[in-house]
Amino acid sequence: RRRCLPSLAVIGAMKSGTTNIMLYLQNHPQLRTSEDMIGWPQESRYFSAAHDPEAAGRNWRFYLRKYPPATDGVLTFDKSPNYLLNPKIPSVLASLMPSLKLLVCLRNPTSRAYSHLQHECRNGRVRQAEGAVFRSK
């Protein structure tokens, strides 16, 4: 089955709104993102998970399998915030998909760090006690 190359990549810092943007875009009837085995939207993280993004770009059939089959009038997009962390990834994406648009989400660093701390606390990876912060074991 033919797969649609992404037309857009949503990248950005963690806790900068990339998930909300993905959900807003996914609501459009002509936009789809990468999907898990049962069709739920998910971050592909294909190039950020690879030790060498350039090598991953040479063998990207697995990447394409994450996207729904090509349908007339439907565009796909990749939402992988981690792509922002590796300076090689945008150039690899540009060489593989020259018409790809990048949507970069940024946030005030202090607000983002505080939001990330709250996220870690909610997930039990960090705990707070009387003004101090401790990493959970």
Side-chain angles (χ1 to χ4, degrees):
R1 299 179 82 170
R2 283 187 31 226
R3 303 289 175 159
C4 230
L5 288 174
S7 303
L8 171 73
V10 179
I11 67 174
M14 184 176 179
K15 309 310 291 176
S16 66
T18 56
T19 299
N20 282 341
I21 288 174
M22 177 192 73
L23 295 173
Y24 297 145
L25 292 173
Q26 188 71 14
N27 280 328
H28 193 285
Q30 294 176 307
L31 292 173
R32 302 281 300 279
T33 190
S34 55
E35 299 173 345
D36 64 13
M37 300 289 273
I38 58 172
W40 286 96
Q42 72 171 20
E43 296 177 2
S44 78
R45 297 184 186 192
Y46 177 75
F47 294 99
S48 58
H51 177 68
D52 179 4
E54 293 167 339
R58 289 190 290 273
N59 183 19
W60 58 329
R61 288 179 194 243
F62 178 74
Y63 176 69
L64 290 177
R65 282 196 301 251
K66 291 179 170 282
Y67 291 90
T71 307
D72 287 340
V74 175
L75 300 175
T76 59
F77 66 95
D78 185 346
K79 184 259 186 184
S80 296
N82 299 22
Y83 289 179
L84 185 66
L85 301 176
N86 186 330
K88 291 182 178 180
I89 293 175
S91 62
V92 170
L93 293 174
S95 68
L96 294 172
M97 300 170 274
S99 63
L100 180 78
K101 306 291 186 241
L102 289 179
L103 176 61
V104 181
C105 299
L106 302 174
R107 183 174 179 184
N108 174 295
T110 305
S111 299
R112 194 217 60 80
Y114 184 72
S115 178
H116 190 172
L117 172 63
Q118 296 302 313
H119 175 84
E120 296 294 303
C121 290
R122 278 191 305 275
N123 290 311
R125 292 186 285 262
V126 172
R127 59 188 169 85
Q128 294 179 344
E130 296 182 36
V133 176
F134 304 94
R135 178 147 310 266
S136 296
K137 293 182 180 183

